[in-house]
Amino acid sequence: MDLEQREENTGEVFNEDDGRFEDSALKSTRAKPKKERPGRMCVFCSKIIEGGKLKRHITSHKKTHEEVAAILKKPVEEQNKWFEEKRHEGIYKYNMHHLDDNDTKLMRERKPKTPDELRMCLACKKFFSNRTFYKHKETCSSQAQPVKTKTLRPLDLHYSEEFVLNILNKFRDGSIGNFIRESKIVQTIGYKHYLARRSESSKTTEVRREVMMEMRELSRLFFCFKSIAEEELSFEEMYERNHLSTLKEAFSTLCTGEEGEKYGLKMNLNSIFQRSIKILLGYYSETQLDSKVKELERFRKAYNFNLPDIVGKARYHTEKNSLKKARLPKSLPLEDEMRKLKQFLIQEIDDTVENFSLNRYTWLRSLVVARLTLYNARRGEEGSRLLLEEWYDAINSTWIPQEAVESVKDDAEKYLIGQYKLAYMAGKGRKCVPVLIPNDLVGPIELLISHRQKFGIAETNNFLFATKSSSSHCSGWHAVFTVCEAVGISSVTATKNRHRVSTVYATLDMSENDRKIFYDHLGHNEAINKDNYQCPPGVTEVLHMGKFLSSLEDGLPVAAPESHEKKTKTKDTRTQSAEIVSEGKKQRKDSFRWTEANTKAVITDFKEWVNTEKGNSLPSKTCLEEYLSRSTSLACTVLQLRTKIMNEQNKRKKNHSNRLKKLSF
């Protein structure tokens, strides 16, 4: 029987090395190369034990240790669990010790097959690949969060854990992100800004984005500054006077794109840079670096001296665009589009609630946020920032007490109050702005709240329109954009809607008090509404001033333009009766001519105040009103009577003073 027949019949394989037949399964096992088991650190002696023999090392060399001796007396299952924990502790200890050593490769749980980035689990302190961390998250605790290894260094500094994990850890891996995680100066600037705003619980997402943006832009400016200088410079050298010309060039280069200069970016970058100077001055003073304080003060003076050259053109264009482009009538959304969008929102919300499932949770959330934002003319992110606490206040009518409702006499107004829930939330700056919630949104919002846990929203998330992240809310701007995209409308945004509402409201004939309520609702004042949101009243300008100027040019009699606003205050009957005609010409309606008899009557009746020698005391308003009600000859107002008394008072004092001068002479 030849070799091939024997191998085929018996399943054995001839080994050419030793000339014998052996089992094929045994040969295939022997053919596999041995895996190299990585070295692990011993937590007791800090030695690196190669070949996967950590357990043998501890049991043979550390058996006299109290902890080791105690665990060796326990069952094997507990021993294996304990040794696994010690292996993880050794990896963590080794990695934390070599974080600053860029040449040392950090330990990990498994060797990667493809290049990746290392992440540490915040909950269990184990190290995994960024590609497979999601698998570990399914088996670890709810607090599992991936932390980049370069972010672990600042955890040992004086920074708060929230700043390190929610800001430093969120920067992408790359030249900018790695530089921020390594630069203590940039971290200090960002941390001081974060400390100033971390108490704004309803704006955690905005604060995080703003602080990250500030640190990122400063780092981008430094990289541009360093490339122009063509030499190795530190971040602090960017704040020295001998490099000011290079800094100016970096500003110009960084803020210039394919379409030209980016004026808004330059103004924002200038604000960030000036804020960083202020923070660095405080940091150098605190750390007693007096020489750097003096140099930075001189640099600030030089920088401010060059400020017109750096941002002068940008400031002009940004103000021009703010006053012109944003307020053009053609930029306003069309009323037909707004009606179409409203009908879609109401119908789509009803359909989504009726056929609700967890897959449609985000869509329903976007619909509700878009409806709230557009209905209340709120800014893009304001509607989505409502807190659960603010929602429960609205449901419980905290801001609309029953006593106030019962005091309303008009049945129509009472009905209107019952159609809304009122919430108050943090607006721009330190303002508190109202949000009217129509009753048709109460059901959908309650549905979203009841499915929060099933959708995977953490219990610690306090936002009404929360996301799966532990402390953030959905984006109001993206909610409006997504809904408008579904309808096929591209001209509607939250900002343009605010322009529309402000412009429409400006054309209405409203009292001063009603206008104040409107400005409070939008969260700004009359000047901002007029200069930043409201479209210029072009038609009114042409109708009124066109008539006036054409009459003036043609030499025709010029009359004051008639006001289109309704006068809300009735005129005083005494002022109307005081209209008299003198020499064939009509006097002003609010004037009153004092006759000699009237003057003598006032001096006699109010001699106590006219002849006073101390100060300029005058009778009370009640006293004057009673006097006018009794008088049959006086048809003046209270204000005119008080003015007359004060004038007679001053005249008497002046005459008295002149007489004294003559006597002394």
Side-chain angles (χ1 to χ4, degrees):
M1 182 182 295
D2 58 6
L3 295 177
E4 292 181 1
Q5 288 180 344
R6 181 171 177 177
E7 288 177 353
E8 187 176 342
N9 295 335
T10 62
E12 294 178 336
V13 178
F14 182 74
N15 190 336
E16 295 180 354
D17 294 333
D18 55 8
R20 293 185 302 172
F21 283 94
E22 60 183 11
D23 189 5
S24 58
L26 182 62
K27 183 176 180 181
S28 62
T29 304
R30 290 178 180 173
K32 292 181 181 178
K34 273 190 175 183
K35 286 185 179 179
E36 267 188 53
R37 305 192 69 178
R40 300 299 185 200
M41 174 183 273
C42 174
V43 294
F44 298 103
C45 61
S46 300
K47 290 183 179 178
I48 305 300
I49 310 302
E50 302 290 348
K53 299 177 181 179
L54 180 63
K55 182 178 179 180
R56 182 187 301 177
H57 167 79
I58 293 176
T59 54
S60 58
H61 294 82
K62 309 296 176 185
K63 57 186 176 182
T64 56
H65 194 279
E66 291 183 9
E67 192 177 357
V68 177
I71 197 66
L72 291 177
K73 297 176 182 178
K74 295 184 178 181
V76 177
E77 293 180 358
E78 292 188 29
Q79 290 185 28
N80 292 338
K81 188 177 180 181
W82 183 85
F83 281 113
E84 186 177 359
E85 290 176 359
K86 292 303 169 187
R87 180 170 60 86
H88 296 320
E89 287 180 22
I91 295 174
Y92 177 76
K93 184 178 179 181
Y94 177 85
N95 288 346
M96 294 301 292
H97 183 70
H98 291 86
L99 281 176
D100 294 324
D101 189 358
N102 295 325
D103 298 329
T104 304
K105 202 170 183 179
L106 300 182
M107 291 184 180
R108 58 201 304 160
E109 298 297 322
R110 296 178 183 277
K111 187 178 180 181
K113 295 181 180 178
T114 55
D116 63 353
E117 296 293 335
L118 197 59
R119 299 286 183 267
M120 188 194 81
C121 176
L122 186 64
C124 61
K125 302 293 188 290
K126 296 178 183 178
F127 290 80
F128 300 92
S129 167
N130 63 330
R131 301 177 185 274
T132 59
F133 190 86
Y134 72 96
K135 295 181 180 178
H136 168 73
K137 197 171 182 179
E138 294 174 356
T139 58
C140 194
S141 67
S142 59
Q143 302 298 323
Q145 182 180 344
V147 181
K148 296 171 182 176
T149 52
K150 291 187 178 180
T151 312
L152 296 174
R153 279 191 223 101
L155 277 172
D156 295 333
L157 301 177
H158 59 280
Y159 306 136
S160 66
E161 188 173 321
E162 293 86 0
F163 174 75
V164 174
L165 298 179
N166 297 330
I167 293 180
L168 292 183
N169 190 47
K170 298 297 181 180
F171 286 104
R172 294 182 179 179
D173 292 323
S175 57
I176 298 293
N178 292 337
F179 172 75
I180 292 172
R181 281 187 282 268
E182 293 171 358
S183 173
K184 186 179 179 181
I185 298 296
V186 178
Q187 291 172 12
T188 301
I189 294 171
Y191 186 58
K192 292 301 178 184
H193 186 187
Y194 170 76
L195 287 179
R197 300 192 59 190
R198 66 176 175 180
S199 59
E200 301 176 24
S201 58
S202 61
K203 298 182 181 180
T204 52
T205 304
E206 284 81 355
V207 171
R208 179 178 65 82
R209 290 174 181 170
E210 191 171 332
V211 173
M212 290 182 67
M213 179 271 294
E214 181 175 309
M215 299 171 71
R216 190 184 299 112
E217 292 302 321
L218 275 177
S219 301
R220 288 180 63 228
L221 179 64
F222 170 66
F223 273 65
C224 184
F225 166 81
K226 193 166 62 170
S227 65
I228 293 172
E230 295 182 352
E231 57 179 311
E232 271 307 312
L233 297 174
S234 66
F235 183 82
E236 292 176 272
E237 287 180 290
M238 189 168 64
Y239 295 84
E240 294 180 358
R241 285 173 293 166
N242 56 336
H243 296 301
L244 186 56
S245 58
T246 307
L247 179 64
K248 288 166 62 177
E249 190 177 348
F251 260 93
S252 179
T253 303
L254 190 62
C255 300
T256 303
E258 296 178 357
E259 299 178 358
E261 190 172 353
K262 301 177 180 179
Y263 303 118
L265 175 61
K266 181 171 280 190
M267 292 298 296
N268 185 40
L269 192 58
N270 171 58
S271 300
I272 293 171
F273 191 75
Q274 294 215 31
R275 195 183 302 123
S276 69
I277 294 175
K278 184 178 178 181
I279 293 173
L280 285 178
L281 280 172
Y283 172 70
Y284 290 151
S285 298
E286 183 186 25
T287 51
Q288 300 181 9
L289 300 173
D290 296 337
S291 59
K292 290 189 175 182
V293 172
K294 291 179 181 178
E295 172 58 29
L296 193 55
E297 282 284 8
R298 293 165 182 163
F299 171 81
R300 180 161 67 171
K301 290 180 181 179
Y303 178 81
N304 290 334
F305 180 73
N306 285 271
L307 207 55
D309 185 30
I310 299 174
V311 296
K313 184 179 178 182
R315 180 179 286 112
Y316 168 76
H317 281 280
T318 50
E319 291 176 356
K320 180 182 176 182
N321 293 340
S322 174
L323 294 174
K324 184 179 177 182
K325 277 189 176 181
R327 300 194 302 148
L328 287 174
K330 67 178 183 180
S331 301
L332 299 180
L334 301 175
E335 292 301 320
D336 289 340
E337 291 182 341
M338 295 303 298
R339 282 192 290 270
K340 181 180 177 182
L341 184 58
K342 174 200 169 185
Q343 293 172 359
F344 174 82
L345 281 168
I346 294 175
Q347 184 63 42
E348 190 67 17
I349 288 174
D350 291 341
D351 294 344
T352 307
V353 169
E354 187 176 348
N355 305 306
F356 181 76
S357 64
L358 281 180
N359 294 332
R360 308 189 74 182
Y361 186 94
T362 53
W363 176 236
L364 179 60
R365 184 180 63 195
S366 297
L367 291 170
V368 173
V369 170
R371 174 118 165 85
L372 268 183
T373 302
L374 296 175
Y375 187 83
N376 286 274
R378 295 259 64 89
R379 297 178 180 89
E381 295 299 317
E382 284 182 348
S384 60
R385 219 167 48 212
L386 267 174
L387 297 173
L388 281 170
E389 177 186 359
E390 295 164 347
W391 164 253
Y392 291 132
D393 285 344
I395 288 296
N396 298 326
S397 300
T398 303
W399 301 106
I400 309 178
Q402 189 61 31
E403 294 178 358
V405 177
E406 291 175 356
S407 65
V408 178
K409 303 300 182 185
D410 193 338
D411 291 337
E413 291 181 351
K414 275 188 178 180
Y415 174 78
L416 183 64
I417 294 174
Q419 300 306 302
Y420 297 97
K421 302 295 181 186
L422 178 63
Y424 278 90
M425 60 173 295
K428 191 174 183 179
R430 296 182 179 181
K431 294 181 180 178
C432 193
V433 295
V435 179
L436 292 176
I437 305 172
N439 284 344
D440 60 291
L441 289 182
V442 174
I445 292 176
E446 291 288 357
L447 184 63
L448 290 173
I449 293 175
S450 63
H451 287 80
R452 283 167 65 95
Q453 190 173 0
K454 293 179 182 178
F455 184 67
I457 296 174
E459 293 182 4
T460 55
N461 195 321
N462 297 321
F463 290 103
L464 177 60
F465 304 108
T467 60
K468 291 183 179 181
S469 175
S470 59
S471 60
S472 66
H473 56 81
C474 69
S475 170
W477 186 92
H478 283 93
V480 174
F481 176 79
T482 304
V483 172
C484 291
E485 192 177 37
V487 184
I489 297 174
S490 59
S491 63
V492 178
T493 63
T495 302
K496 289 182 178 180
N497 184 53
R498 283 172 69 84
H499 285 279
R500 163 183 165 265
V501 172
S502 296
T503 302
V504 171
Y505 201 87
T507 62
L508 302 179
D509 186 13
M510 307 298 292
S511 67
E512 197 66 31
N513 186 52
D514 290 340
R515 290 185 185 279
K516 185 179 182 304
I517 294 173
F518 173 74
Y519 300 142
D520 290 343
H521 177 83
L522 289 186
H524 57 230
N525 55 34
E526 183 178 3
I528 292 176
N529 189 77
K530 182 179 178 181
D531 297 336
N532 295 80
Y533 286 101
Q534 175 185 322
C535 289
V539 175
T540 306
E541 171 73 16
V542 172
L543 286 177
H544 282 63
M545 293 308 298
K547 182 179 179 181
F548 171 77
L549 294 174
S550 62
S551 300
L552 185 65
E553 185 182 44
D554 296 338
L556 300 174
V558 178
E562 185 180 354
S563 175
H564 70 285
E565 295 184 0
K566 183 180 178 181
K567 296 181 180 179
T568 57
K569 296 182 179 179
T570 59
K571 294 183 179 179
D572 192 353
T573 56
R574 295 187 179 276
T575 306
Q576 293 177 358
S577 64
E579 297 176 7
I580 63 173
V581 178
S582 175
E583 297 178 354
K585 293 182 180 180
K586 195 173 182 181
Q587 291 188 340
R588 290 188 311 163
K589 294 181 179 181
D590 57 349
S591 67
F592 178 76
R593 173 160 298 196
W594 289 90
T595 63
E596 188 176 349
N598 289 337
T599 302
K600 287 182 178 179
V602 169
I603 294 174
T604 303
D605 295 336
F606 293 99
K607 61 182 179 181
E608 180 184 348
W609 288 276
V610 172
N611 297 329
T612 183
E613 295 181 0
K614 296 181 180 179
N616 289 327
S617 61
L618 295 170
S620 65
K621 182 179 178 182
T622 306
C623 177
L624 295 177
E625 287 175 344
E626 291 177 357
Y627 178 80
L628 289 173
S629 64
R630 295 193 305 268
S631 176
T632 56
S633 60
L634 285 178
C636 64
T637 63
V638 172
L639 180 60
Q640 289 167 341
L641 180 56
R642 290 188 69 179
T643 304
K644 180 63 175 176
I645 296 171
M646 185 174 67
N647 290 340
E648 293 299 328
Q649 198 179 73
N650 293 333
K651 188 188 298 184
R652 179 191 169 279
K653 289 181 179 180
K654 186 176 181 181
N655 292 336
H656 182 67
S657 176
N658 290 336
R659 285 198 300 270
L660 287 176
K661 286 181 180 178
K662 288 180 181 179
L663 288 173
S664 62
F665 176 76

